[in-house]
Amino acid sequence: MDGCSGRSTDLLAVIESCLASLLQSHADLLAGVQQLAQRVQADRELTNLIRRKFSIKCTTGYSLNALVDFPTEDPLEIVKRLMIGSEGTLGFVSEATYNTVPEWSNKASAFIMFPDIHTACK
């Protein structure tokens, strides 16, 4: 997401910042998804078709059921669900940075063999 950064210690603040940034930078996209969902939900025949097709557990492809399963007031949730299963055709993560542990100047590792799992767990 555009403009997302922060430390993992304030994860909630980072997520809220990312969402606020996304809502601002992609307002047109979210408005378009919202309008599409409103049109789909207004068409009872189409809504029923989507619900019937996606009631089968082994469906593949775009999660079009997101257009009928979520309220139109929450276009971000619809986008998230559409992304699931799109296999990179609707979007992809181009960069991710993980800051999980400090980068210590002195490091060590060991390879220790145990005769069995029970001994290793002691």
Side-chain angles (χ1 to χ4, degrees):
M1 286 181 240
D2 300 338
C4 291
S5 63
R7 304 179 66 84
S8 60
T9 53
D10 357 65
L11 186 57
L12 185 57
V14 171
I15 290 171
E16 288 173 352
S17 170
C18 290
L19 289 176
S21 175
L22 180 74
L23 291 172
Q24 184 177 4
S25 65
H26 293 77
D28 292 340
L29 170 73
L30 295 172
V33 168
Q34 187 173 36
Q35 290 171 359
L36 176 61
Q38 288 168 342
R39 287 193 351 235
V40 169
Q41 290 181 20
D43 185 332
R44 181 61 51 207
E45 186 178 343
L46 180 57
T47 297
N48 289 336
L49 174 66
I50 291 171
R51 287 189 198 281
R52 188 171 58 253
K53 291 281 188 181
F54 284 89
S55 67
I56 303 167
K57 293 290 185 195
C58 60
T59 58
T60 59
Y62 299 131
S63 299
L64 296 179
N65 57 311
L67 296 169
V68 297
D69 289 346
F70 295 94
T72 59
E73 298 80 31
D74 194 2
L76 185 57
E77 190 63 35
I78 295 170
V79 169
K80 288 189 314 187
R81 301 306 169 139
L82 286 170
M83 292 292 293
I84 297 169
S86 71
E87 309 218 356
T89 60
L90 294 179
F92 61 93
V93 176
S94 62
E95 182 178 324
T97 303
Y98 290 96
N99 297 315
T100 56
V101 295
E103 180 68 33
W104 301 111
S105 56
N106 298 311
K107 301 174 186 87
S109 63
F111 181 74
I112 303 171
M113 298 193 58
F114 295 96
D116 55 57
I117 190 70
H118 298 291
T119 306
C121 291
K122 290 182 180 181

